[in-house]
Amino acid sequence: MSFQKPKGTQDLLPGVVERWQYIEEKARDLCRRFNYREIRTPIFEQTSLFERGVGETTDIVEKEMYTFLDKGDRSMTLRPEGTAGVVRSYVENKLYGEPDVSKLYYIGPMFRYERPQAGRQRQFHQFGIEAFGATDPAIDAEVVALGYQYCRELGLQGVKVEINSVGNPAVRAAYRETLLGFLMPLKDTLCKDCQSRMERNPLRVLDCKVDQAKFVDAPSILDSLDEECSIHFAKVQELLTAMEVDYAINHRLVRGLDYYTHTAFEYKAQGIGAIDTIGGGGRYNGLVAEVGGPDQPGIGLGLGLERIALILEKQEIEMGEVKPLDVYFVALGEAADKEITTQLYRIRQAGFSAERDYLGRKMKAQMKSAERMQARYTAILGEDELERGEIALKSMESGEQRTVKLSELANELK
């Protein structure tokens, strides 16, 4: 019987996974500097959470969720995105009781059933942040800037930020009627998805990738903003400009989720085919209440790590590589073989990476193994050296070899 990984998934093997560790470490360090704390939520939740939190009219809920009944006949879903689970945890654990803004981040796998393509998998990974408790436009600007800075520190070239305001519920209700007036004459020419969305959530028609060219002259939601929304959006722009974030306004940007209010944004990058969005986010002032908590405002972003890794590779940007081994032990003789087991453990305790042969190979084969592992040093122990309490330490770069006391080996490696 032959087994293969499920379609739309991938094995991250040694030699590749180091790049992912590099990408994740960059995210963790940036969040530390911006004072975001890590949160880890389950990879599956009640299906109703995503129906309420993401929106029943979204493609995610309608087409892409991995949903199953558990043994208690409860409907569960593998998380298709990170925000809903974080909001659920924020409410359930009463983090809204904290005196300061709750600033959280997550890194982990998400699951969507869709056609696999470059930078898009059925199991994929996201880095995301969420900030709860503040309506200040400064937190909007901070969230946008954090994602932008992350891309810059990774070395991504040509990343741009697109922003828009999707207003508040009253603004969207008025804009809905204006937009429908524009869309109705086009209805018969639009794709089936657009025709369905027109009846339930016409703003999402603007998110269509098939008929995008037909919406060039669509009315802008920015013309429907009330004074409060206009002031908020203007302040966000002012702060992004002050932080020198490279952004542009895209009045047709609505994002694919129903919960956004006010600020919405996306990060665009070249190098991953027709789909150039590597992530995005927005403000969601009604989502916490929708999930059962108090009426607390929030804003967040999510970035696709597969897409980022692909762009880094295509742009030939150096990422985390396999770190060389500090020392490889070579034993000559039975007594020496026993001793290096002890020495190997002690060296590892001292903080060094170390390895030895476990296949009973001759010295020449062991030295080749040390070369393959890019060891900085080989430590060669024979019967004579063991009697004197010494070991031969050879630099693999220079070829220089010297004898050191076994008790001083860790100090010599430093």
Side-chain angles (χ1 to χ4, degrees):
M1 184 178 291
S2 176
F3 294 99
Q4 294 182 322
K5 62 183 179 293
K7 184 178 181 180
T9 65
Q10 57 182 332
D11 297 316
L12 300 176
L13 304 177
V16 174
V17 76
E18 287 80 8
R19 301 174 186 176
W20 283 76
Q21 291 169 349
Y22 171 79
I23 291 170
E24 293 168 1
E25 286 167 7
K26 282 284 187 181
R28 296 181 192 282
D29 179 63
L30 191 64
C31 286
R32 175 189 60 80
R33 286 181 272 147
F34 277 68
N35 196 34
Y36 285 77
R37 299 175 297 167
E38 185 176 10
I39 184 171
R40 302 187 184 189
T41 62
I43 64 170
F44 65 96
E45 301 267 6
Q46 296 177 51
T47 302
S48 57
L49 171 66
F50 300 113
E51 291 173 343
R52 291 172 65 88
V54 177
E56 293 184 6
T57 64
T58 64
D59 283 350
I60 292 175
V61 171
E62 289 184 332
K63 303 176 182 178
E64 300 170 0
M65 296 203 309
Y66 276 95
T67 298
F68 60 95
L69 293 177
D70 67 9
K71 292 185 177 181
D73 207 31
R74 294 170 289 244
S75 181
M76 297 290 175
T77 295
L78 299 180
R79 62 185 184 194
E81 54 90 46
T83 299
V86 174
V87 172
R88 189 269 312 148
S89 180
Y90 174 79
V91 172
E92 182 175 349
N93 293 288
K94 296 182 173 58
L95 298 184
Y96 50 80
E98 295 180 351
D100 299 310
V101 173
S102 292
K103 299 169 67 175
L104 308 168
Y105 79 91
Y106 59 86
I107 301 173
M110 311 291 163
F111 306 84
R112 295 183 192 175
Y113 189 86
E114 52 187 346
R115 183 172 64 85
Q117 53 186 289
R120 175 174 282 180
Q121 301 288 328
R122 290 178 175 175
Q123 176 178 320
F124 60 100
H125 298 77
Q126 279 190 347
F127 157 50
I129 65 172
E130 314 291 348
F132 300 98
T135 58
D136 192 332
I139 196 72
D140 300 44
E142 176 183 283
V143 169
V144 175
L146 187 152
Y148 180 70
Q149 184 65 19
Y150 177 60
C151 294
R152 291 186 64 185
E153 293 192 9
L154 284 172
L156 292 177
Q157 303 296 315
V159 174
K160 296 181 179 179
V161 183
E162 293 185 354
I163 66 171
N164 192 25
S165 174
V166 294
N168 54 33
V171 165
R172 283 201 304 280
Y175 176 63
R176 182 181 187 276
E177 299 306 314
T178 302
L179 182 60
L180 277 173
F182 170 82
L183 293 174
M184 287 304 294
L186 301 174
K187 183 174 181 179
D188 293 340
T189 71
L190 300 179
C191 70
K192 291 183 178 180
D193 283 342
C194 284
Q195 293 179 13
S196 174
R197 289 166 179 165
M198 281 179 61
E199 299 176 3
R200 296 176 296 166
N201 189 351
L203 270 71
R204 293 225 45 247
V205 173
L206 299 179
D207 205 34
C208 177
K209 303 299 185 289
V210 177
D211 292 323
Q212 192 61 226
K214 298 177 182 178
F215 309 137
V216 174
D217 297 323
S220 171
I221 192 172
L222 298 179
D223 295 331
S224 297
L225 297 183
D226 60 19
E227 184 179 9
E228 176 202 359
C229 294
S230 295
I231 292 173
H232 187 99
F233 191 46
K235 186 66 174 179
V236 172
Q237 295 174 65
E238 178 186 333
L239 294 171
L240 290 176
T241 300
M243 289 186 284
E244 299 182 346
V245 173
D246 184 12
Y247 75 90
I249 296 174
N250 177 359
H251 69 87
R252 293 198 302 276
L253 192 160
V254 295
R255 298 288 293 156
L257 306 176
D258 287 352
Y259 50 59
Y260 287 117
T261 59
H262 291 288
T263 310
F265 56 92
E266 288 184 345
Y267 302 94
K268 304 281 190 176
Q270 300 298 317
I272 49 176
I275 298 176
D276 59 357
T277 303
I278 59 175
R283 178 169 281 282
Y284 43 82
N285 287 354
L287 183 57
V288 174
E290 181 70 25
V291 173
D295 189 14
Q296 287 279 5
I299 183 170
L301 69 80
L303 291 164
L305 299 189
E306 275 79 3
R307 297 185 179 186
I308 287 175
L310 184 58
I311 297 172
L312 287 170
E313 182 178 352
K314 287 186 176 294
Q315 294 183 354
E316 298 182 347
I317 296 170
E318 290 189 8
M319 292 181 277
E321 303 294 338
V322 179
K323 295 182 179 179
L325 201 65
D326 289 318
V327 59
Y328 188 98
F329 283 90
V330 176
L332 305 174
E334 187 175 336
D337 186 81
K338 181 178 179 181
E339 177 61 26
I340 66 165
T341 299
T342 301
Q343 292 296 325
L344 180 69
Y345 185 61
R346 288 176 179 171
I347 286 298
R348 288 167 172 169
Q349 283 182 311
F352 297 99
S353 58
E355 189 55 282
R356 57 156 291 171
D357 177 62
Y358 293 101
L359 301 176
R361 294 176 292 191
K362 296 184 182 301
M363 180 177 177
K364 184 177 180 180
Q366 291 186 52
M367 295 298 288
K368 286 185 177 180
S369 182
E371 290 177 5
R372 285 193 298 273
M373 296 183 189
Q374 302 178 0
R376 293 169 51 227
Y377 294 95
T378 53
I380 306 166
L381 185 63
E383 302 292 339
D384 293 341
E385 289 87 357
L386 182 58
E387 288 184 6
R388 297 194 301 269
E390 297 175 338
I391 192 167
L393 190 63
K394 178 180 179 180
S395 169
M396 297 297 283
E397 181 179 1
S398 66
E400 177 189 352
Q401 182 171 313
R402 65 186 190 277
T403 301
V404 302
K405 291 185 177 299
L406 280 169
S407 59
E408 294 296 319
L409 180 57
N411 291 330
E412 291 292 332
L413 289 173
K414 291 179 182 178

